[in-house]
């Protein structure tokens, strides 16, 4: 399994930064700057705090962590059982997309050190949306910018959509997964711009990896 997963992994990782791909990283940074400076991040935080969103936030936090890992593994296992080479290959591509999205988002988190919004709260009187601690591991890699939950979920979804472009059921389920994780993160433990940047980076990773068959 590891041999299949590692096939061309460094090359595909570099492809996320090569050529036109770099503009997506720039777009994530620029859009974040606009959302932070304009006050939209803080506005979105204030209007979306509600206990009604707690179940969605918890599902996104837990599911967004495990599902992008379990689905590629499940694809590989089922592919081995059924001797389905295509399913095995697609599972490996999805795994690569998820890992690359996680590494890229974690790298940026380590440098930006953004402080997360108050979790599971209905209100706050202090605007913390502009709090960054630039440097190296000033605020870890678990919280912050960009959202790794959104990045990995969107990487998996994008890879599945590219690999199964003619299967509307798979595409719909993949989109639903990415959307639910992104929304749950945005109304809970991430700023809106964290999630938007995660969507951009994750989708880029999924598309680049899946197209480099």
């Amino acid at each position: 399994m590891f041999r299949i997963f590692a096939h061309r992994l460094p090359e595909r990782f570099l492809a996320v930064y090569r050529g036109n791909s770099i503009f997506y990283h720039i777009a994530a940074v620029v859009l974040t700057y606009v959302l932070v400076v304009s006050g939209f991040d803080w506005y979105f935080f204030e209007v979306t705090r509600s206990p009604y969103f707690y179940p969605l936030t918890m599902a996104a936090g837990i599911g967004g962590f495990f599902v992008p890992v379990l689905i590629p593994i499940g694809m590989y296992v089922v592919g081995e059982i059924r001797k389905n080479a295509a399913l095995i290959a697609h599972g490996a591509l999805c795994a690569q997309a998820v890992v690359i999205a996680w590494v890229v988002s974690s790298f940026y988190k380590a440098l930006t050190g953004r402080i997360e919004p108050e979790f599971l709260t209905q209100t706050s009187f202090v605007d913390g949306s502009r709090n960054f601690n630039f440097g190296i591991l000033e605020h870890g890699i678990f919280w912050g910018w960009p959202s790794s939950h959104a990045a990995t979920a969107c990487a998996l979804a994008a890879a599945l959509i590219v690999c199964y472009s003619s299967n509307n059921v798979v595409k719909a389920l993949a989109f639903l997964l990415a959307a639910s994780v992104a929304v749950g993160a945005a109304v809970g433990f991430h700023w809106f711009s964290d999630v938007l940047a995660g969507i951009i980076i994750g989708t880029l990773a999924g598309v680049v990896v899946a197209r480099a068959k």
Side-chain angles (χ1 to χ4, degrees):
M1 178 179 181
F2 179 79
R3 180 180 59 82
I4 298 175
F5 164 74
H7 179 64
R8 296 177 61 191
L9 180 59
E11 173 188 338
R12 288 165 180 164
F13 176 83
L14 293 176
V16 175
Y17 285 96
R18 188 179 295 128
N20 291 333
S21 294
I22 195 64
F23 292 110
Y24 291 90
H25 298 264
I26 295 173
V29 173
V30 171
L31 288 173
T32 296
Y33 178 81
V34 171
L35 292 172
V36 172
V37 172
S38 68
F40 182 83
D41 265 354
W42 179 244
Y43 169 76
F44 185 85
F45 172 85
E46 289 189 302
V47 300
T48 58
R49 298 307 104 175
S50 170
Y52 295 110
F53 293 143
Y54 290 175
L56 177 59
T57 296
M58 296 302 293
I62 297 172
F65 182 82
F66 288 105
V67 172
V69 175
L70 295 177
I71 287 182
I73 292 176
M75 293 171 68
Y76 176 83
V77 171
V78 173
E80 284 284 4
I81 294 173
R82 296 184 176 181
K83 305 301 179 184
N84 187 325
L87 186 57
I88 293 173
H90 289 161
L93 288 173
C94 288
Q96 286 187 346
V98 168
V99 168
I100 290 172
W102 181 81
V103 170
V104 172
S105 60
S106 296
F107 172 71
Y108 288 148
K109 283 182 180 183
L111 298 179
T112 58
R114 190 178 195 184
I115 305 300
E116 68 280 359
E118 294 185 29
F119 182 43
L120 296 181
T121 183
Q122 294 186 43
T123 186
S124 176
F125 299 103
V126 179
D127 181 357
S129 63
R130 304 186 185 205
N131 293 339
F132 289 80
N133 292 308
F134 296 104
I136 300 177
L137 292 176
E138 293 293 327
H139 193 56
I141 61 171
F142 188 74
W143 307 100
W145 181 95
S147 167
S148 55
H149 280 75
T152 55
C154 288
L156 173 62
L160 286 170
I161 289 171
V162 173
C163 289
Y164 297 95
S165 57
S166 60
N167 191 320
N168 291 331
V169 174
V170 171
K171 291 192 294 184
L173 291 175
F175 177 81
L176 181 61
L177 166 65
S180 61
V181 171
V183 172
V187 300
F189 46 88
H190 274 295
W191 301 106
F192 182 85
S193 59
D194 295 343
V195 174
L196 179 60
I199 290 172
I200 293 172
I201 291 169
T203 302
L204 172 65
V207 172
V208 167
V209 170
R211 285 181 175 175
K213 297 180 182 179

